[in-house]
Amino acid sequence: MEKERAIFLNAYANVPEPLRKDTIVLIEKEPYSWETAYFEIKKETELGKKILKTLKQMEILG
């Protein structure tokens, strides 16, 4: 999961500021923006792990 975390954090740094409020993923029918995902992933929360797993399944993180 650490590889996916690094990929996400690098990608987030390149997302233009206005797009960071856009939804990137749905977890249990709840939308999460780039910003929310960033904070959850950076803090390594359970939600952050779910977000990373979903992004990987969607092949967004390669």
Side-chain angles (χ1 to χ4, degrees), residues 31-44:
Y32 294 96
S33 68
W34 278 96
E35 286 180 340
T36 305
Y38 172 79
F39 290 115
E40 295 294 334
I41 291 167
K42 183 131 174 115
K43 292 180 182 178
E44 299 186 46

Side-chain angles (χ1 to χ4, degrees), residues 2-55:
E2 192 60 35
K3 177 183 173 187
E4 290 83 5
R5 184 175 182 269
I7 292 169
F8 176 85
L9 295 175
N10 186 47
Y12 177 81
N14 293 310
V15 173
E17 194 74 30
L19 297 180
R20 291 183 179 180
K21 296 195 184 302
D22 290 352
T23 299
I24 186 175
V25 68
L26 291 174
I27 305 292
E28 299 172 8
K29 298 183 183 181
E30 291 291 324
Y32 294 96
S33 68
W34 278 96
E35 286 180 340
T36 305
Y38 172 79
F39 290 115
E40 295 294 334
I41 291 167
K42 183 131 174 115
K43 292 180 182 178
E44 299 186 46
T45 65
E46 286 303 313
L47 177 57
K49 291 174 186 175
K50 288 181 184 179
I51 291 170
L52 283 175
K53 183 178 177 184
T54 302
L55 292 174

